[in-house]
Amino acid sequence: RAQLVESGGGSVQPGGSLILACTFSPSTRIKNCMGWFRQVSSGRREGVATLDTDGDKLYADSVKGRFTISQDNAKSTVYLQMNNLTRGDSAMYYCAARMEFKFCRTLDSAYYETWGQGTQVTVSS
């Protein structure tokens, strides 16, 4: 069964940038849709961005224009570029997959069955 491994989290000042990576293990050509989610300290989990196999992307309103989801099949990796970060972006970030679907078209985490372990992003001055 494929596993997802996130990396790239850390601490950054407001206005800064981070790029998160989510890599399939073992390496494989990504043939399914993927998503990034985040969970805040209260336990609430929200969808951030999704990427379908046809290239369609879906973003939460709170990150539109600041975050970009992309993938590199040669590296079996999905990325989340995060720019102009604010304190409200502080959370544990998870990547997730719908392994049997090419199109996700939803930010609802309940539809994703394969999850990584998460990587922490902290935005503070």
Side-chain angles (χ1 to χ4, degrees):
R1 178 171 176 161
Q3 292 186 321
L4 303 176
V5 180
E6 298 102 331
S7 61
S11 296
V12 65
Q13 293 186 338
S17 297
L18 282 174
I19 182 165
L20 306 182
C22 171
T23 302
F24 274 80
S25 178
S27 296
T28 184
R29 181 173 178 81
I30 301 172
K31 300 179 181 179
N32 53 273
C33 60
M34 300 289 297
W36 281 97
F37 297 81
R38 62 188 181 187
Q39 185 165 340
V40 298
S41 56
S42 66
R44 178 176 58 86
R45 182 172 291 189
E46 65 174 354
V48 175
T50 67
L51 175 62
D52 293 340
T53 56
D54 63 356
D56 274 2
K57 304 173 183 180
L58 180 65
Y59 294 99
D61 287 344
S62 58
V63 306
K64 281 180 182 177
R66 300 188 299 123
F67 290 13
T68 303
I69 187 171
S70 64
Q71 74 177 41
D72 183 341
N73 258 314
K75 297 182 179 180
S76 305
T77 300
V78 177
Y79 300 97
L80 185 68
Q81 174 71 49
M82 306 186 294
N83 297 327
N84 195 19
L85 285 160
T86 71
R87 290 179 177 82
D89 295 316
S90 295
M92 181 71 79
Y93 282 72
Y94 298 88
C95 70
R98 299 184 74 187
M99 296 302 295
E100 301 300 320
F101 292 84
K102 296 184 181 296
F103 309 104
C104 286
R105 307 286 165 85
T106 178
L107 292 169
D108 186 341
S109 61
Y111 288 90
Y112 296 75
E113 81 290 334
T114 302
W115 291 81
Q117 83 288 350
T119 185
Q120 179 68 40
V121 172
T122 302
V123 184
S124 68
S125 54

